[in-house]
Amino acid sequence: MKSYLRPLGQSELKLSPLGLGCWQFSKGQGTVGKFWPSMDDQLTNDIIATSLKGGINWFDTAEIYGGGESETAVANALYSLNASPQEARIATKWWPLMRRASSISKTIDSRLAALRGRPIDLYQIHQPLSFSSVENQMKEMAKLYEKGLIKAIGVSNFNAKSMKKAHAVLQSYGLPLASNQVKFSLLDRSIEGNHVLETARDLGISIIAYSPLEQGLLTGKFHHNPSLVEQASGMRKFQKKFSEEGLNQTRPLIDVLESLGNKYGVSASQIALNWIISYHGDTVFAIPGASKVSHAQENIGALTFQMTKDELEHISYMSWQVIRNKLAHK
């Protein structure tokens, strides 16, 4: 697969199929940011530099990621690398919980300050729980767009009904809903059954897949060395999918990913990422994270080859087999 830029939905943004998820740059701040240890600035710069050099041209962050710490870390890195706003696009998100839609406009200056004045290319509603309606949220987003403060509008974790509503409100302003950022991986394909993917395709809305490697499970490293689970950050050691039973259930899929990886000279994770951004055509983007330079190198390697249709279908088949097997054993 040749690395190239795709339109994000019906917006004017053109993004690489992979972006870099930037939750890990939260500096260990805040409830959400504590999932990750504080990262050295030089490491952050190196990860972002590697991503840019490899063809990734956008970075997905959020207000809730360390209360702006991730946004600032991304901005600092891009400034240190002399990356222009055209070379490095920024997607960030407004946190709606316990807030009203008016907060979207009231806090935009704080977002721009955290980003040190770098433009917001994609501004997203982080999740659907709020004191205000989707309609009022989209009205506020439209205001920011009309003022030139943001370049595209997205949502995250919206179901099909809420996504359609957001789309309809923006259409009344002559604007598109560019994207819906949702969980999607070879082990979580719920958007293919709950009408989110179908609705997005019908309306010309892009899907942005977060957690596309299932917190590293699809790399295969935990299957080969289960002791790594105890050393991993976050809640992995308490999750069933990282237990011995869970690893055994997903091993057949890892075997397929590794077999194809051997054919293409790449890793299981690169096969998994390539499937995410290829199987549904140009509809799906993905934002794997990276807490090491090697992770960033892994990500960009997923952009360097193209599997056949039969191979993509075989991965899909095995994915569904594993998912159904897991459900049968719940």
Side-chain angles (χ1 to χ4, degrees):
M1 173 187 287
K2 182 181 178 182
S3 180
Y4 62 98
L5 304 183
R6 302 174 175 175
L8 185 73
Q10 298 180 63
S11 75
E12 295 182 358
L13 286 181
K14 292 189 181 297
L15 305 179
S16 49
L18 291 182
L20 179 68
C22 297
W23 178 17
Q24 68 277 12
F25 302 144
S26 300
K27 297 291 185 181
Q29 297 298 306
T31 303
V32 171
K34 285 178 181 174
F35 183 91
W36 298 95
S38 183
M39 189 178 295
D40 176 75
D41 290 344
Q42 186 58 55
L43 177 55
T44 300
N45 291 2
D46 291 345
I47 289 170
I48 289 179
T50 299
S51 301
L52 280 170
K53 186 176 179 181
I56 287 175
N57 80 327
W58 62 291
F59 302 86
D60 183 85
T61 180
E63 175 185 17
I64 197 68
Y65 299 164
E69 290 289 347
S70 171
E71 292 170 316
T72 299
V74 170
N76 286 341
L78 294 176
Y79 278 124
S80 72
L81 295 166
N82 293 315
S84 72
Q86 291 71 40
E87 294 170 317
R89 304 290 187 176
I90 292 179
T92 191
K93 312 177 198 78
W94 170 75
W95 184 249
L97 193 63
M98 306 296 287
R99 282 168 150 178
R100 297 192 179 279
S102 58
S103 164
I104 294 172
S105 292
K106 289 177 181 176
T107 59
I108 191 64
D109 286 343
S110 296
R111 304 277 53 75
L112 292 169
L115 289 166
R116 295 187 53 202
R118 293 191 76 93
I120 297 173
D121 294 287
L122 174 65
Y123 204 30
Q124 304 156 95
I125 306 294
H126 203 140
Q127 48 94 349
L129 299 178
S130 169
F131 284 144
S132 294
S133 65
V134 170
E135 181 177 15
N136 286 336
Q137 291 174 3
M138 291 303 108
K139 286 179 179 178
E140 290 295 319
M141 285 290 206
K143 288 179 186 177
L144 297 184
Y145 181 91
E146 289 168 352
K147 290 178 180 178
L149 295 173
I150 60 176
K151 296 179 181 176
I153 300 165
V155 295
S156 181
N157 297 304
F158 273 40
N159 62 24
K161 182 179 179 180
S162 296
M163 184 171 58
K164 287 172 75 172
K165 179 64 175 176
H167 168 79
V169 175
L170 290 176
Q171 285 288 98
S172 71
Y173 288 88
L175 300 174
L177 177 65
S179 58
N180 187 7
Q181 185 177 140
V182 292
K183 191 170 186 294
F184 181 48
S185 77
L186 283 166
L187 294 175
D188 186 342
R189 301 179 65 175
S190 56
I191 65 167
E192 292 172 291
N194 62 14
H195 304 294
V196 166
L197 179 62
E198 176 188 359
T199 301
R201 293 176 97 169
D202 288 346
L203 298 178
I205 299 167
S206 288
I207 292 293
I208 298 174
Y210 69 77
S211 200
L213 295 176
E214 287 287 334
Q215 295 177 287
L217 186 62
L218 288 169
T219 67
K221 66 181 181 181
F222 297 105
H223 296 78
H224 291 293
N225 188 0
S227 66
L228 291 175
V229 174
E230 290 298 317
Q231 305 167 27
S233 61
M235 302 295 289
R236 289 182 181 88
K237 66 184 71 175
F238 305 110
Q239 294 176 298
K240 186 177 179 181
K241 63 186 177 183
F242 287 98
S243 68
E244 182 179 358
E245 178 187 3
L247 293 173
N248 286 336
Q249 288 174 344
T250 53
R251 190 177 298 275
L253 176 59
I254 298 300
D255 289 344
V256 169
L257 298 180
E258 291 183 337
S259 176
L260 281 167
N262 288 335
K263 173 183 175 180
Y264 287 96
V266 298
S267 65
S269 64
Q270 289 167 329
I271 294 290
L273 287 175
N274 187 286
W275 183 90
I276 285 282
I277 60 177
S278 302
Y279 187 66
H280 292 291
D282 285 356
T283 303
V284 180
F285 294 75
I287 47 169
S291 56
K292 298 178 181 178
V293 171
S294 60
H295 296 165
Q297 292 168 336
E298 279 279 305
N299 293 344
I300 60 180
L303 297 168
T304 61
F305 63 98
Q306 179 67 62
M307 289 184 282
T308 68
K309 183 178 179 181
D310 285 347
E311 289 167 342
L312 293 170
E313 289 293 350
H314 181 52
I315 293 170
S316 178
Y317 171 80
M318 185 55 66
S319 163
W320 281 123
Q321 291 291 101
V322 167
I323 289 171
R324 288 167 184 145
N325 182 49
K326 286 175 65 182
L327 290 174
H329 285 83
K330 271 194 172 182

